């Protein structure tokens, strides 16, 4: 294996790790918030949401308190 092959592998691994971190950020900051808000709008309590989604009550409360506009940015725009 040449040095350039090795450095290519290192770069690919670093890029993959960055992608995973970015996807985790999106999941925690948009997907989880959207799921929590939808569950609350459906009438579930925060305790029920926490149990259903496998989150702590503190996390559910944090997601529930995020302003609605931020949640709206995670929703796909209406298709026409």
């Amino acid at each position: 294996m040449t040095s350039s092959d090795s450095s290519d592998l290192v770069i690919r691994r670093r890029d993959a790790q960055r992608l995973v971190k970015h996807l985790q950020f999106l999941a925690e900051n948009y997907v989880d918030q959207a799921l929590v808000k939808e569950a609350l709008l459906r009438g579930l309590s925060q305790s029920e949401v926490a149990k259903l989604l496998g989150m702590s009550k503190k996390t559910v409360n944090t997601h529930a308190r995020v302003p609605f506009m931020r949640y709206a940015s995670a929703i796909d725009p209406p298709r026409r």
Side-chain angles (χ1 to χ4, degrees):
M1 187 175 250
T2 67
S3 178
S4 66
D5 290 340
S6 297
S7 64
D8 180 56
L9 291 174
V10 170
I11 292 169
R12 287 174 41 200
R13 184 171 191 271
R14 187 186 66 227
D15 290 347
Q17 289 173 328
R18 286 181 181 162
L19 178 62
V20 168
K21 285 182 183 180
H22 183 67
L23 292 173
Q24 187 68 35
F25 170 82
L26 292 174
E28 291 172 358
N29 291 284
Y30 290 101
V31 176
D32 286 354
Q33 286 177 15
L35 291 171
V36 166
K37 289 195 182 293
E38 183 176 341
L40 294 173
L41 288 172
R42 289 182 180 191
L44 296 173
S45 70
Q46 287 190 9
S47 295
E48 291 169 324
V49 174
K51 184 176 180 181
L52 179 68
L53 298 178
M55 298 177 179
S56 69
K57 291 179 190 176
K58 180 180 178 184
T59 300
V60 170
N61 185 274
T62 300
H63 288 319
R65 294 177 5 168
V66 172
F68 196 72
M69 289 301 293
R70 186 168 169 198
Y71 164 68
S73 70
I75 298 174
D76 288 333
R79 300 179 200 263
R80 295 177 188 189

